[in-house]
Amino acid sequence: MKEVRPSSDSLIERLAEFRYRLRTFLQFSEQAAHAAGLQPQQHQLLLQIAGAPADALPTIAYAAERLGLRHNSVVELANRSVEEGLLERTSDEADARRVLLRVTSRGARLLQKLAADHRSELEVMGPALIEALTRIEHYEPDHAPAALPVMRTAVRGAR
Amino acid sequence: MKEVRPSSDSLIERLAEFRYRLRTFLQFSEQAAHAAGLQPQQHQLLLQIAGAPADALPTIAYAAERLGLRHNSVVELANRSVEEGLLERTSDEADARRVLLRVTSRGARLLQKLAADHRSELEVMGPALIEALTRIEHYEPDHAPAALPVMRTAVRGAR
DNA sequence: GCTAATATATCGTGATACGATATATCCATG
DNA sequence: CATGGATATATCGTATCACGATATATTAGC
């Protein structure tokens, strides 16, 4: 009579596995960016600018928030991207402090290709990612080696 | 008669949203590491060492593969971590070239706390992450803004 | 109009991952 | 059981890039 014993790996093991999967994806992404002739950060900047929802202004500050960077870092990143013809600066007419970023057609072409590649890659790795994540959420602090009567009730330690 | 039109945002928008969610999680993680007195990379190193499955040797090379870093980067990362009493080096008796890494009890304590924090955080952000990911997988290239003759055939550029 | 707040830009610095290279150990083959 | 090649880790100099601190420009509040 086999107990449920939801597999004997620890929470830390599961977290490690999840991070490994994440990193694998991120590395795919960086490599794809490089293959397209972009720095990974440039790719991300283009993505967030081109992928900004209609109700958001594609400003430096917006990109910074989306990329988790400080404003000045985005300024520099945008500089490099403009120099390489991936991005354009326009000043906002409504508020001249703002700089609106726009992806050039060259940038858009590269981005489009990268998007397709990412989509198909995520179709492949997505499930494993989700499973790793789900296994974290399903973790129950069970793991006393073998003998302990499985006397568990609820999800201790959930928030 | 409403068409299925699986919501009108573009693939790029969805990818942008997914990356934003990912980054949000990663930033939570970095911040949590810092709050525990660790560099995020150290946290990741400890996690992969402590979270190595039983059948894997926790060597420099193993950590490098799991972290997506080069060997030498891990050597340096391990150095710093050893200096701070988070990690120990042991040489493998079976193969003296190898260095086995072990998390100290101090490291383990910090890691344990971080693991709990990550778990509860993932319980919160996990669903949104999964949804963003699923929306990428569900994307159907529908989005010709009305007029353009959609003359696309296959998933050009897929792997 | 003047002060505070917001948005972007500039500049110097530091951390860290990397390539190239070196050293140590193991292994295969004769 | 010596030797060449492969594997594992270590060292060192370098470059990138995000950052803090600071500056400048524009807008907003009163």
Side-chain angles (χ1 to χ4, degrees), chain B residues 85-96:
Chain B
L86 302 166
L87 217 55
E88 279 178 2
R89 273 189 165 88
T90 337
S91 47
D92 186 0
E93 299 176 9
D95 184 342

Side-chain angles (χ1 to χ4, degrees), chain A residues 78-92:
Chain A
N79 285 342
R80 285 174 249 143
S81 303
V82 169
E83 278 166 20
E84 298 179 27
L86 303 166
L87 217 58
E88 280 178 0
R89 273 191 167 89
T90 338
S91 47
D92 186 1

Side-chain angles (χ1 to χ4, degrees), chain B residues 67-100:
Chain B
L67 295 174
L69 297 177
R70 309 276 165 164
H71 305 147
N72 47 353
S73 305
V74 174
V75 170
E76 292 164 339
L77 185 51
N79 285 342
R80 286 174 249 143
S81 304
V82 169
E83 278 167 18
E84 297 178 26
L86 302 166
L87 217 55
E88 279 178 2
R89 273 189 165 88
T90 337
S91 47
D92 186 0
E93 299 176 9
D95 184 342
R97 292 171 300 180
R98 292 199 177 110
V99 165
L100 301 183

